Each structure stands twice: as C-alpha cells, then as structure tokens.
C-alpha cells in the first residue's frame, strides 16, 4: 500500500533571461530560497548584451508517494506567485 505525503510547499526564485535583440529566451533557472531569505520580484536590463533578467518569487506545491516495491514519485500540484 503506498504512503503519500501531501501538502508540501517550497519557495523558489524563477530567473528568466530574455534577449531583447534576438527576442529569444536565453536562459532560465529555479533556485531554492534559503530559510529566512526572500526572492524579490525584480527586472534588470543588461544594456551591453541587451538581456532582460527577470526574477519571480513563486511557491511550488506537491506531494510524494512511496510504494512497497521501492517505487516512489512526486507530483507538482500547484505553482503560485509568492505574495508580492
């Protein structure tokens, strides 16, 4: 019988780098937010490279399940903009 752990949440910082000249998404990353710290919504323009760097605070929600046959899995159940 599987064991399911629900209601997990994790604050993360989503960073998107968009090049204004080429109109392409150059890079994206998700970083965990350390306890006691915050990710702030911000945008910065690198005028030399024409890159727009956007940081977005979000909270990921999910659940993890473990089964008798050593199988496990995780499911993302929600993504929310962290209070800004």
């Amino acid at each position: 019988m599987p064991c399911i752990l629900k209601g997990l949440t994790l604050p993360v910082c989503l960073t998107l780098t968009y090049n204004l000249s080429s109109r392409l998404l150059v890079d994206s990353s998700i970083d965990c937010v350390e306890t006691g710290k915050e990710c702030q919504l911000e945008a910065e323009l690198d005028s030399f490279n024409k890159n727009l760097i956007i940081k977005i605070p979000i909270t990921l929600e999910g659940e993890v399940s473990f089964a008798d046959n050593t199988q496990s899995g995780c499911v993302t159940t929600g993504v929310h903009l962290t209070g800004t």
Side-chain angles (χ1 to χ4, degrees):
M1 180 161 168
C3 176
I4 300 174
L5 181 58
K6 296 182 178 186
L8 301 172
T9 61
L10 181 66
V12 297
C13 194
L14 171 63
T15 303
L16 303 172
T17 303
Y18 179 79
N19 186 274
L20 297 173
S21 294
S22 65
R23 293 189 260 176
L24 294 173
L25 182 65
V26 176
D27 192 25
S28 65
S29 64
I30 293 180
D31 297 304
C32 294
V33 177
E34 296 178 30
T35 303
K37 300 210 175 189
E38 290 183 352
C39 173
Q40 297 291 326
L41 180 63
E42 62 182 80
E44 175 185 334
L45 177 61
D46 178 349
S47 59
F48 179 76
N49 294 321
K50 304 293 189 255
N51 285 338
L52 178 62
I53 303 164
I54 305 168
K55 292 188 178 184
I56 306 164
I58 58 176
T59 300
L60 301 176
E61 297 178 348
E63 59 186 51
V64 175
S65 64
F66 299 94
D68 294 336
N69 58 3
T70 67
Q71 291 183 350
S72 64
C74 60
V75 176
T76 302
T77 58
V79 177
H80 302 281
L81 186 62
T82 303
T84 54

